Amino acid sequence: ANRTLSRKHVAWARKLVGDIAARDEHFDEAASAYEAALRALQSHPCPVVEWKILAAWASLASTLRQRDLGDDLLGRCGQVKHHLAESIADEKLRRHFLSR
């Protein structure tokens, strides 16, 4: 993914590295991986991937009792999800998406 500059795949791979590190209780490594994942998307946004990275990092922040960081990440996650939801024409599907 790095060679072909497929940013969303780079970001997703870094998210997975973060998930594994978090599961293994390597919390600093996990946070660094999530941060790197979001940096990969800065110049090439991919909201579908971004909100999942934000949610994973917010979960880690909650585990670490980093309330301010967690609240910030959840707020950003909500903004991205609501922006995505605007593209869903069917109201029932939109509500279902937002409830997840």
Side-chain angles (χ1 to χ4, degrees):
N2 277 326
R3 185 174 45 81
T4 61
L5 298 176
S6 180
R7 302 287 190 233
K8 70 180 178 182
H9 293 118
V10 169
W12 192 254
R14 290 177 180 166
K15 182 220 180 273
L16 293 175
V17 168
D19 292 348
I20 293 166
R23 198 164 295 143
D24 291 342
E25 298 183 356
H26 299 151
F27 300 125
D28 289 339
E29 184 181 333
S32 293
Y34 294 142
E35 187 174 11
L38 291 175
R39 272 196 316 269
L41 296 175
Q42 279 181 333
S43 59
H44 297 82
C46 183
V48 175
V49 173
E50 182 181 2
W51 76 268
K52 292 185 178 209
I53 296 166
L54 289 165
W57 195 2
S59 177
L60 174 66
S62 175
T63 298
L64 299 176
R65 301 188 197 292
Q66 296 174 336
R67 185 177 202 113
D68 290 342
L69 176 61
D71 289 347
D72 177 58
L73 293 166
L74 280 178
R76 289 171 56 192
C77 180
Q79 289 174 342
V80 173
K81 279 182 70 176
H82 281 280
H83 180 71
L84 283 169
E86 291 174 1
S87 67
I88 302 172
D90 184 287
E91 182 63 31
K92 184 177 178 181
L93 288 175
R94 184 180 313 124
R95 280 194 312 261
H96 179 71
F97 173 76
L98 288 171
S99 71
R100 299 198 68 114

